[in-house]
């Protein structure tokens, strides 16, 4: 199979340089890639309908007999029509073809064919324009439909695939080892490829699909597990003692069971007794589930064990907030915390770096300034990255390179459906914080049309009069307008119309981080009743006294983002409210807003989001750093994924490098899949 990927497309009959270029647009560069370019759908020509019952405007297959030889009409220069009438014995159907001089020879009077196309015309005068057809005596096909590009139709792709099969030797090498195929009743690659492109029948198609999905997921899991074991090949030099009981006593609250469990799991990884490898763990927890305390507990045990820790946050605001929370948690321990952010003066940065290297700082908190070269630790044993989806895989590992194989914890606030987590974080162990701190209530959420905005703002005012604070997420930028201008305009407008007597803080992406922080600090200190912001407040920020959030143009955000935004309120014990303002009518937007009103469970929202948007868009373009999957669907193929994971573990336990002859094909596939990731951004 691998060698087919070196075979140029132009070796195929009917594919010249020009067409090869068009194929390239579809990402198909070789004969092998063509065979791996699976159809996105199928037309089933065997589902015949009668002419009378064929639904208007829809594509269908009709078996009918030609009543007369097609006639030829030149309507203008370069345009010739061929018309004929066919019948199924009950009703007639008029057919029209354009510029196809072969039609009169292909459609013979008195012969029966199956026509496949869209029905138009009126109830009594039905028509089809340029239908595809085949002789009724031929086995009726299930036709593949490919993703096409201008100048390259699905039909042409299908014929290139047919030619590729002609080149394919009878016996091709299957990357799936025979014992695996036998054990899990999977068909051979040759059968799978033939039937994914030109299915013999629906059962063959499903056998082929199952095998190809399995293969793809297996290759993915092999690659991810190999990545994981690369991290683990080094033996950890940092055995950490569990001091968590001591830490919990420092807190002003009692930890939840989920927090305790996550901390125990991480400390078990780090103690060095159960596995000799550094920890590599993901803590997944919805907004407000208390991830910061988990991070603090682990840093505490690491520092008590005589080592250094680092915590990396995606924004300055968050880094500072972590610094403040951890400082307060660890206040009575005498542990020394340092803060390092991009906006600090060079001399301040230098001072921090020197202290760090000397070991005068136990815990360094910061933004990605932490991964710059000048930052050197004395004895770094634990790296924690918060809100991981904002960092790429590569950034993650470059922080790990700083220490002598430190333990690594990733914290994600984006609840991810289990399937997706298994895929993306196949290289990590996972702890889930599935419990909220006591006293938390659901955030009451309402969707309202913009004409009810005055009432919403009255509601805001009532809360402000009681001493609470509110967020307003302002409308997204109009085209051509800067984000600053739109926030300013909007703020001025609501001040004039609704809140002339109140001070309104403003936060937007164009502000310098110093300015942002000044505003955030005033808001956190209770000095601003209202904060108007773009989505920069999205991550992590914690102001428990803010209890109402209004989101303008709510339809413009994805579900997960709405959920993240909403998570800024409901962080204290007071009942909080989120008001979504939107005039959107389209069904998808309405579904999204309705979902928000129905549930506050981040995992449920994530599932719904995945269903609505599909995995590709789940985090935005390729931010998840996963290779593109051709056939497996993360929302649907959970069972196969589990199977693939089991098999991947079995295979690797026997042959970690995939160097045995039986595994060479798999090794090639893994390399190919992950090469593509290297190119387009496993960053
Ligand atoms: P997130 O998981 O979103 O990062 P945080 O760590 O910011 O959540 O915690 C949210 C709030 O809940 C903070 O004010 C924190 O002090 C508080 N908190 C965390 N754990 C508990 C707990 N077990 N009991 C009560 N409050 C808690
Ligand atoms: Mg957080």
């Amino acid at each position: 199979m691998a060698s087919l990927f070196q075979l140029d497309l132009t070796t195929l009959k009917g594919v010249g340089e020009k067409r090869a270029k068009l194929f390239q647009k579809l990402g198909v560069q070789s004969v092998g890639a063509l065979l791996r370019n699976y159809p996105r759908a199928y037309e089933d020509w065997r589902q015949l309908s009668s002419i009378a019952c064929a639904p208007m405007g829809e594509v269908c297959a009709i078996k009918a007999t030609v009543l007369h030889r097609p006639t030829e009409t030149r309507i203008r220069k370069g345009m010739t029509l061929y018309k004929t009438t066919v019948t199924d014995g009950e009703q007639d159907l008029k057919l029209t073809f354009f510029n196809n001089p072969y039609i009169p020879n292909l459609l013979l009077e008195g012969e029966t064919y199956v026509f496949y196309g869209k029905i138009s015309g009126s109830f009594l005068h039905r028509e089809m324009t340029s239908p595809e057809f085949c002789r009724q005596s031929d086995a009726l096909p299930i036709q593949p439909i490919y993703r096409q590009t201008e100048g390259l139709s699905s039909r042409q792709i299908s014929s290139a695939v047919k030619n590729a099969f002609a080149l394919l030797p009878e016996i091709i090498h299957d990357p799936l080892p025979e014992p695996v195929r036998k054990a899990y009743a999977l068909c051979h690659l040759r059968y799978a490829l033939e039937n994914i492109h030109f299915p013999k029948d629906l059962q063959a198609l499903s056998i082929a699909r199952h095998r190809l999905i399995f293969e793809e997921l297996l290759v993915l899991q092999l690659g991810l597990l190999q990545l994981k074991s690369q991290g683990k090949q080094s033996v950890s030099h940092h055995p950490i003692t569990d001091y968590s009981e001591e830490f919990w006593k420092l807190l002003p609250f009692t930890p939840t069971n989920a927090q305790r469990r996550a901390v125990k799991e991480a400390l078990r990884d780090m103690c060095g007794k159960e596995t000799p490898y550094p920890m590599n763990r993901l803590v997944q927890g919805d907004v407000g589930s208390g991830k910061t305390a988990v991070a603090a507990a682990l840093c505490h045990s690491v520092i008590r064990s005589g080592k250094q820790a680092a915590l990396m946050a995606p924004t300055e605001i968050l880094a500072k907030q972590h610094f403040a929370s951890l400082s307060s948690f660890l206040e009575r321990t005498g542990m020394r915390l340092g803060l390092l952010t991009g906006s600090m003066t060079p001399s301040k940065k230098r001072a921090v770096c020197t202290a760090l290297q000397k070991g005068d700082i136990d815990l360094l908190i910061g933004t990605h300034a932490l991964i710059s070269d000048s930052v050197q630790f004395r004895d770094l044993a634990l790296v924690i990255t918060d809100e991981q989806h904002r960092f790429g895989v590569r950034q993650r590992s470059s922080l790990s390179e700083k220490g002598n194989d430190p333990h690594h914890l990733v914290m994600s606030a984006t609840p991810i459906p289990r399937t997706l987590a298994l895929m993306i974080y196949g290289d990590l162990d996972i702890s889930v914080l599935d419990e909220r701190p006591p006293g938390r209530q659901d955030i009451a959420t309402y969707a309202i049309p913009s004409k009810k905005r005055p009432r919403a703002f009255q509601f805001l005012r009532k809360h402000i009069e009681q001493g609470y604070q509110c967020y307003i997420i302002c409308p997204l930028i109009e085209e051509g307008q800067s984000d600053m201008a739109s926030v300013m305009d909007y703020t001025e407008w609501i001040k004039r119309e609704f809140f002339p007597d109140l001070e309104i803080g403003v936060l937007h992406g164009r502000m310098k981080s110093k300015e942002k922080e000044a505003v955030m600090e005033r808001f956190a200190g209770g000095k601003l009743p209202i904060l108007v912001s773009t989505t920069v407040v999205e991550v992590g920020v914690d102001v428990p006294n803010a209890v109402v959030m209004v989101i303008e143009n709510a339809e413009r955000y994805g579900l997960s983002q709405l959920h993240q935004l909403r998570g800024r309120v409901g962080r204290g014990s007071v009942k909080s409210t989120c008001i979504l303002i939107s005039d959107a009518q389209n069904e998808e937007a309405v579904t999204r807003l309705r979902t928000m009103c129905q549930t506050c469970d981040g995992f449920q929202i994530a599932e719904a989001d995945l269903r609505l948007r599909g995995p590709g868009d789940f985090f935005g373009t390729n931010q998840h750093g996963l290779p593109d999957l051709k056939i497996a669907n993360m929302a649907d193929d959970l069972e196969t994924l589990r199977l693939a994971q089991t098999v991947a573990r079995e295979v690797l336990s026997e042959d970690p490098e995939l160097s045995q002859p039986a595994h060479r094909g798999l090794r090639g596939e893994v390399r190919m899949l992950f090469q593509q990731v290297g190119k387009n951004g496993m960053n």
Side-chain angles (χ1 to χ4, degrees), residues 51 62-67 85-94 111-113 115:
I51 296 174
I62 285 172
K63 186 164 108 183
T65 308
V66 176
L67 287 177
T85 308
V86 298
T87 184
D88 61 1
E90 277 174 33
Q91 194 173 346
D92 293 352
L93 176 70
K94 289 201 175 325
E111 294 280 335
T112 301
Y113 303 83
F115 298 94

Side-chain angles (χ1 to χ4, degrees), residues 212-314:
L212 293 171
I213 289 170
F214 176 87
E215 177 188 329
E216 182 164 53
L217 293 174
L218 176 66
V219 169
L220 179 71
Q221 290 304 319
L222 285 170
L224 289 171
L225 288 174
Q226 280 189 317
L227 276 181
K228 177 171 171 170
S229 71
Q230 269 167 24
K232 280 193 175 172
Q233 267 160 13
S234 45
V235 166
S236 170
H237 312 280
H238 308 287
I240 301 300
T241 310
D242 183 347
Y243 289 99
S244 59
E245 286 311 320
E246 193 180 303
F247 174 78
W248 298 129
K249 294 203 187 88
L250 298 170
L251 289 181
F253 46 76
T254 318
T256 63
N257 290 328
Q259 284 170 320
R260 279 181 182 279
R261 190 174 353 104
V263 167
K264 280 276 170 238
E265 283 167 352
L267 282 166
R268 202 184 313 131
D269 293 347
M270 293 197 288
C271 74
K273 286 180 200 129
E274 305 211 350
T275 80
Y277 308 114
M279 169 175 76
N280 208 10
R281 182 171 287 276
L282 169 73
V283 171
Q284 241 204 327
D286 208 344
V287 280
S289 58
K291 291 183 290 295
T292 317
V294 170
L298 300 180
C299 292
H300 172 268
S301 280
V302 164
I303 299 166
R304 284 285 274 116
S305 306
K307 309 248 170 189
Q308 285 174 309
L311 171 58
M312 182 158 79

Side-chain angles (χ1 to χ4, degrees), residues 39 64 98 146 252 261 348 354 396 530 545 584 592 600 607 637:
F98 296 96
Y146 297 91
R261 190 174 353 104
K348 272 207 173 137
T354 314
R396 260 205 256 157
I530 300 179
N545 195 48
R592 243 183 292 142
C600 286
E607 297 277 0
D637 298 322

Side-chain angles (χ1 to χ4, degrees), residues 125-144:
H125 300 277
R126 305 204 150 207
E127 298 172 19
M128 255 189 193
T129 305
S130 304
E132 299 190 43
F133 55 88
C134 68
R135 267 183 191 278
Q136 183 239 338
S137 53
D138 296 345
L140 290 180
I142 302 172
Q143 292 273 6

Side-chain angles (χ1 to χ4, degrees), residues 330-373:
L330 300 173
E331 198 177 4
R332 284 180 280 147
T333 60
M335 293 175 181
R336 296 154 303 177
L337 277 64
L339 178 68
L340 187 71
T341 63
S343 69
M344 282 164 55
T345 62
S347 69
K348 272 207 173 137
K349 281 187 198 159
R350 262 199 307 279
V352 171
C353 290
T354 314
L356 194 64
Q357 209 160 5
K358 286 205 326 224
D360 290 344
I361 288 177
D362 302 306
L363 168 56
L364 184 63
I365 297 170
T367 54
H368 32 276
L370 291 196
I371 57 178
S372 71
D373 284 338

